[in-house]
Amino acid sequence: MNTPLPALALATITHGGNAARWRTEAMRSHATARLIRIGKGQGRITIAGLTNGYGPNNLIYIPPHTMYGMEVGQTVFAQSLTIPDATGWPETSFHLRLLDVDPQKELVTFIEAIERELQPGRDPRAASCYFGLLTIFVERQLKARDPATIDVRRASAAAKLVARYTAMIAHDFHSDRGVAEFSAALGVTPTHLTRCCRKTCGRSALGLLNDRIHYEACVLLKETATPIQGIAQALGFQSPAYFTRSFQEKSGQTPSEFRGKSHTRFRA
Protein backbone atom coordinates (compact mmCIF):
# COMPACT_ATOMS: atom_id res chain seq x y z
CA MET A 1 0.00 0.00 0.00
CA ASN A 2 1.22 3.51 -0.84
CA THR A 3 -0.82 5.43 1.72
CA PRO A 4 0.55 8.98 2.12
CA LEU A 5 1.94 9.62 5.58
CA PRO A 6 2.05 12.99 7.32
CA ALA A 7 5.45 14.61 6.93
CA LEU A 8 7.55 15.19 10.02
CA ALA A 9 10.21 17.90 10.12
CA LEU A 10 13.12 18.41 12.49
CA ALA A 11 14.87 21.77 12.86
CA THR A 12 17.90 22.77 14.91
CA ILE A 13 17.59 25.72 17.29
CA THR A 14 20.81 27.59 18.11
CA HIS A 15 21.85 31.14 18.85
CA GLY A 16 21.71 33.16 15.65
CA GLY A 17 23.10 36.47 16.86
CA ASN A 18 21.24 39.59 17.93
CA ALA A 19 20.00 40.36 14.42
CA ALA A 20 18.22 37.01 14.23
CA ARG A 21 16.78 36.90 17.77
CA TRP A 22 13.28 37.41 16.36
CA ARG A 23 13.41 33.92 14.83
CA THR A 24 13.17 32.34 18.28
CA GLU A 25 12.20 35.03 20.80
CA ALA A 26 9.30 36.81 19.08
CA MET A 27 5.88 35.37 19.85
CA ARG A 28 4.60 33.08 17.14
CA SER A 29 2.10 30.26 16.62
CA HIS A 30 1.73 27.46 14.10
CA ALA A 31 -1.11 25.40 12.70
CA THR A 32 0.86 22.31 13.68
CA ALA A 33 2.26 21.18 17.04
CA ARG A 34 5.92 21.42 18.09
CA LEU A 35 7.98 19.19 20.38
CA ILE A 36 11.19 20.88 21.52
CA ARG A 37 14.10 18.94 23.02
CA ILE A 38 16.71 20.98 24.88
CA GLY A 39 20.10 19.32 24.42
CA LYS A 40 22.24 21.85 26.28
CA GLY A 41 22.13 25.38 27.62
CA GLN A 42 19.40 27.16 29.47
CA GLY A 43 17.03 30.06 29.07
CA ARG A 44 13.37 31.00 29.34
CA ILE A 45 10.41 30.03 27.22
CA THR A 46 6.97 31.65 27.17
CA ILE A 47 4.02 29.47 26.16
CA ALA A 48 0.45 30.78 26.13
CA GLY A 49 1.62 33.79 28.09
CA LEU A 50 3.33 31.87 30.90
CA THR A 51 7.11 32.08 31.24
CA ASN A 52 9.29 29.27 32.65
CA GLY A 53 12.96 28.47 32.69
CA TYR A 54 14.34 25.55 30.69
CA GLY A 55 17.56 23.56 30.82
CA PRO A 56 19.26 20.46 29.42
CA ASN A 57 17.18 17.30 28.97
CA ASN A 58 13.92 19.20 28.96
CA LEU A 59 11.12 18.22 26.59
CA ILE A 60 8.53 20.87 25.80
CA TYR A 61 5.31 20.34 23.87
CA ILE A 62 3.46 23.20 22.16
CA PRO A 63 -0.01 22.38 20.78
CA PRO A 64 -1.28 23.81 17.48
CA HIS A 65 -2.26 27.49 17.47
CA THR A 66 -0.48 28.11 20.78
CA MET A 67 1.61 31.26 21.00
CA TYR A 68 5.18 30.88 22.22
CA GLY A 69 8.69 32.31 22.06
CA MET A 70 11.99 31.23 23.63
CA GLU A 71 15.26 32.84 24.58
CA VAL A 72 18.19 31.11 22.89
CA GLY A 73 21.60 32.01 24.26
CA GLN A 74 25.01 31.18 22.81
CA THR A 75 25.29 27.90 24.73
CA VAL A 76 21.87 26.55 23.74
CA PHE A 77 21.38 23.61 21.41
CA ALA A 78 17.83 22.41 20.88
CA GLN A 79 15.74 20.63 18.28
CA SER A 80 12.17 21.33 17.25
CA LEU A 81 10.06 18.51 15.84
CA THR A 82 7.06 19.54 13.78
CA ILE A 83 4.09 17.24 14.39
CA PRO A 84 1.68 17.56 11.43
CA ASP A 85 -1.05 15.50 13.11
CA ALA A 86 -1.34 15.99 16.87
CA THR A 87 -4.24 13.56 17.28
CA GLY A 88 -3.79 11.80 20.61
CA TRP A 89 -1.40 14.42 21.96
CA PRO A 90 -2.44 16.68 24.87
CA GLU A 91 -4.57 19.73 24.15
CA THR A 92 -2.38 21.84 26.43
CA SER A 93 1.38 22.29 26.58
CA PHE A 94 3.64 20.32 28.88
CA HIS A 95 7.19 20.72 30.11
CA LEU A 96 9.02 17.53 31.10
CA ARG A 97 12.33 17.76 32.94
CA LEU A 98 14.03 14.39 32.47
CA LEU A 99 16.26 13.92 35.51
CA ASP A 100 17.25 10.27 35.12
CA VAL A 101 19.91 9.12 32.67
CA ASP A 102 17.92 6.25 31.12
CA PRO A 103 15.00 8.35 29.80
CA GLN A 104 17.47 11.01 28.67
CA LYS A 105 19.31 8.44 26.55
CA GLU A 106 16.06 6.94 25.28
CA LEU A 107 14.83 10.33 24.11
CA VAL A 108 18.07 11.08 22.28
CA THR A 109 17.89 7.67 20.57
CA PHE A 110 14.41 8.40 19.19
CA ILE A 111 15.26 11.94 18.06
CA GLU A 112 18.47 10.80 16.34
CA ALA A 113 16.61 7.97 14.60
CA ILE A 114 13.93 10.35 13.32
CA GLU A 115 16.62 12.77 12.14
CA ARG A 116 18.42 9.98 10.31
CA GLU A 117 15.28 8.66 8.62
CA LEU A 118 14.26 12.16 7.49
CA GLN A 119 17.38 12.45 5.36
CA PRO A 120 16.89 12.54 1.54
CA GLY A 121 16.61 9.10 0.00
CA ARG A 122 15.32 7.43 3.17
CA ASP A 123 11.85 5.91 3.51
CA PRO A 124 9.64 8.43 5.41
CA ARG A 125 7.65 5.52 6.85
CA ALA A 126 10.64 4.67 9.04
CA ALA A 127 10.63 8.17 10.55
CA SER A 128 6.91 7.77 11.19
CA CYS A 129 7.53 4.51 13.02
CA TYR A 130 10.17 6.05 15.26
CA PHE A 131 7.81 8.94 15.91
CA GLY A 132 5.23 6.41 17.08
CA LEU A 133 7.75 5.05 19.57
CA LEU A 134 8.55 8.58 20.67
CA THR A 135 4.84 9.18 21.27
CA ILE A 136 4.67 6.14 23.55
CA PHE A 137 7.80 7.30 25.36
CA VAL A 138 6.20 10.71 26.01
CA GLU A 139 2.97 9.12 27.26
CA ARG A 140 4.94 7.03 29.75
CA GLN A 141 6.95 10.00 30.97
CA LEU A 142 3.79 12.05 31.49
CA LYS A 143 2.22 9.26 33.53
CA ALA A 144 5.35 8.75 35.61
CA ARG A 145 6.20 12.37 36.35
CA ASP A 146 6.08 13.69 39.87
CA PRO A 147 2.95 15.85 40.32
CA ALA A 148 5.10 18.24 42.33
CA THR A 149 6.96 19.17 39.12
CA ILE A 150 3.79 20.46 37.42
CA ASP A 151 3.63 24.25 37.35
CA VAL A 152 0.72 25.13 39.63
CA ARG A 153 0.62 28.67 38.22
CA ARG A 154 -1.18 27.30 35.17
CA ALA A 155 -4.28 26.83 37.32
CA SER A 156 -4.33 30.44 38.48
CA ALA A 157 -7.00 32.83 37.26
CA ALA A 158 -4.33 35.12 35.79
CA ALA A 159 -2.68 32.34 33.76
CA LYS A 160 -6.03 31.09 32.45
CA LEU A 161 -7.01 34.60 31.35
CA VAL A 162 -3.68 35.23 29.62
CA ALA A 163 -3.87 31.81 27.91
CA ARG A 164 -7.29 32.77 26.51
CA TYR A 165 -5.91 36.12 25.41
CA THR A 166 -2.91 34.62 23.61
CA ALA A 167 -5.19 32.08 21.91
CA MET A 168 -7.26 34.97 20.58
CA ILE A 169 -4.10 36.73 19.38
CA ALA A 170 -2.96 33.56 17.61
CA HIS A 171 -6.14 33.58 15.51
CA ASP A 172 -6.72 37.32 15.09
CA PHE A 173 -3.33 39.06 15.27
CA HIS A 174 -3.66 40.16 11.63
CA SER A 175 -6.90 42.02 12.27
CA ASP A 176 -7.09 45.63 13.40
CA ARG A 177 -8.32 44.61 16.87
CA GLY A 178 -6.45 46.22 19.73
CA VAL A 179 -6.08 45.38 23.40
CA ALA A 180 -9.33 47.18 24.22
CA GLU A 181 -11.29 44.98 21.81
CA PHE A 182 -9.64 41.78 23.04
CA SER A 183 -10.24 42.77 26.66
CA ALA A 184 -13.89 43.45 25.98
CA ALA A 185 -14.27 40.04 24.36
CA LEU A 186 -12.69 38.48 27.46
CA GLY A 187 -14.95 40.44 29.78
CA VAL A 188 -12.15 42.31 31.58
CA THR A 189 -10.61 45.77 31.45
CA PRO A 190 -7.38 46.44 29.52
CA THR A 191 -5.74 47.38 32.82
CA HIS A 192 -6.63 44.06 34.42
CA LEU A 193 -5.50 42.11 31.35
CA THR A 194 -2.15 43.88 31.30
CA ARG A 195 -1.72 43.30 35.04
CA CYS A 196 -2.25 39.57 34.52
CA CYS A 197 0.12 39.46 31.53
CA ARG A 198 2.86 41.14 33.52
CA LYS A 199 2.29 38.68 36.35
CA THR A 200 2.60 35.57 34.16
CA CYS A 201 5.27 36.60 31.66
CA GLY A 202 6.53 40.08 32.51
CA ARG A 203 5.04 41.66 29.39
CA SER A 204 2.11 43.94 28.77
CA ALA A 205 -0.97 42.85 26.85
CA LEU A 206 0.00 45.25 24.07
CA GLY A 207 3.55 43.92 24.09
CA LEU A 208 2.36 40.35 23.48
CA LEU A 209 0.11 41.47 20.63
CA ASN A 210 2.77 43.61 18.98
CA ASP A 211 5.36 40.84 19.33
CA ARG A 212 3.14 38.37 17.46
CA ILE A 213 2.54 40.91 14.70
CA HIS A 214 6.27 41.67 14.52
CA TYR A 215 7.17 38.02 14.05
CA GLU A 216 4.73 37.67 11.17
CA ALA A 217 6.07 40.86 9.60
CA CYS A 218 9.63 39.50 9.81
CA VAL A 219 8.62 36.21 8.21
CA LEU A 220 6.78 37.95 5.37
CA LEU A 221 9.69 40.30 4.76
CA LYS A 222 12.31 37.55 4.79
CA GLU A 223 10.52 34.62 3.20
CA THR A 224 8.13 36.18 0.68
CA ALA A 225 8.27 38.80 -2.06
CA THR A 226 5.08 40.47 -0.84
CA PRO A 227 5.40 44.26 -1.22
CA ILE A 228 5.69 46.20 2.03
CA GLN A 229 2.35 47.87 1.33
CA GLY A 230 0.75 44.43 1.03
CA ILE A 231 2.33 43.25 4.28
CA ALA A 232 1.07 46.33 6.10
CA GLN A 233 -2.44 45.70 4.81
CA ALA A 234 -2.33 41.98 5.65
CA LEU A 235 -1.33 42.75 9.25
CA GLY A 236 -4.08 45.29 9.83
CA PHE A 237 -2.03 48.50 9.69
CA GLN A 238 -3.87 51.61 8.55
CA SER A 239 -1.05 52.66 6.23
CA PRO A 240 2.40 51.50 5.05
CA ALA A 241 3.92 54.53 6.81
CA TYR A 242 2.42 53.48 10.15
CA PHE A 243 3.70 49.93 9.60
CA THR A 244 7.19 51.25 8.82
CA ARG A 245 7.28 53.38 11.98
CA SER A 246 6.03 50.51 14.13
CA PHE A 247 8.51 48.03 12.64
CA GLN A 248 11.43 50.42 13.02
CA GLU A 249 10.59 51.07 16.68
CA LYS A 250 10.65 47.32 17.31
CA SER A 251 13.71 46.31 15.28
CA GLY A 252 15.76 49.47 14.80
CA GLN A 253 15.48 49.02 11.03
CA THR A 254 12.98 49.95 8.37
CA PRO A 255 11.18 47.03 6.69
CA SER A 256 13.26 47.62 3.54
CA GLU A 257 16.53 47.54 5.47
CA PHE A 258 15.48 44.39 7.31
CA ARG A 259 14.48 42.66 4.07
CA GLY A 260 17.79 43.53 2.45
CA LYS A 261 19.91 41.83 5.10
CA SER A 262 20.56 38.08 4.92
CA HIS A 263 19.96 35.84 7.94
CA THR A 264 19.98 32.08 8.39
CA ARG A 265 16.51 30.66 7.76
CA PHE A 266 14.88 29.06 10.73
CA ARG A 267 11.26 28.71 11.74
CA ALA A 268 10.67 26.79 14.96
Side-chain angles (χ1 to χ4, degrees), residues 91 104 107-108 110 117 152 169 181 194 209 224 239 252 267:
E91 295 183 358
Q104 292 174 6
L107 174 61
V108 171
F110 291 135
E117 298 302 337
V152 296
I169 293 176
E181 289 79 10
T194 286
L209 175 59
T224 77
S239 69
R267 295 188 67 186

Side-chain angles (χ1 to χ4, degrees), residues 185-230:
L186 291 166
V188 298
T189 65
T191 300
H192 178 69
L193 179 59
T194 286
R195 186 183 303 115
C196 290
C197 290
R198 290 197 183 281
K199 183 177 181 180
T200 61
C201 65
R203 307 186 191 202
S204 68
L206 180 60
L208 286 171
L209 175 59
N210 285 344
D211 209 34
R212 179 64 185 92
I213 295 171
H214 181 69
Y215 175 79
E216 199 68 19
C218 290
V219 170
L220 292 172
L221 287 167
K222 281 297 181 184
E223 302 186 2
T224 77
T226 305
I228 291 174
Q229 181 176 355

Side-chain angles (χ1 to χ4, degrees), residues 17 26 32 37 43 55 73 95 120 128 138 152 160 162 194 210 229 238 244 246 265:
T32 51
R37 180 188 79 90
H95 189 150
S128 182
V138 169
V152 296
K160 289 179 179 179
V162 176
T194 286
N210 285 344
Q229 181 176 355
Q238 297 177 353
T244 296
S246 177
R265 287 172 61 101

Side-chain angles (χ1 to χ4, degrees), residues 11-33:
T12 298
I13 304 175
T14 55
H15 181 67
N18 289 334
R21 287 174 59 184
W22 66 272
R23 291 193 177 273
T24 56
E25 292 190 15
M27 294 291 112
R28 84 289 312 277
S29 55
H30 308 292
T32 51

Side-chain angles (χ1 to χ4, degrees), residues 70-91:
M70 63 184 292
E71 298 175 356
V72 178
Q74 295 183 1
T75 63
V76 170
F77 174 84
Q79 292 168 293
S80 176
L81 181 66
T82 298
I83 303 175
D85 182 2
T87 301
W89 283 74
E91 295 183 358

Side-chain angles (χ1 to χ4, degrees), residues 16 19-20 22-23 222 253 258 261-266:
W22 66 272
R23 291 193 177 273
K222 281 297 181 184
Q253 306 173 75
F258 179 83
K261 293 184 179 180
S262 175
H263 298 315
T264 303
R265 287 172 61 101
F266 166 74

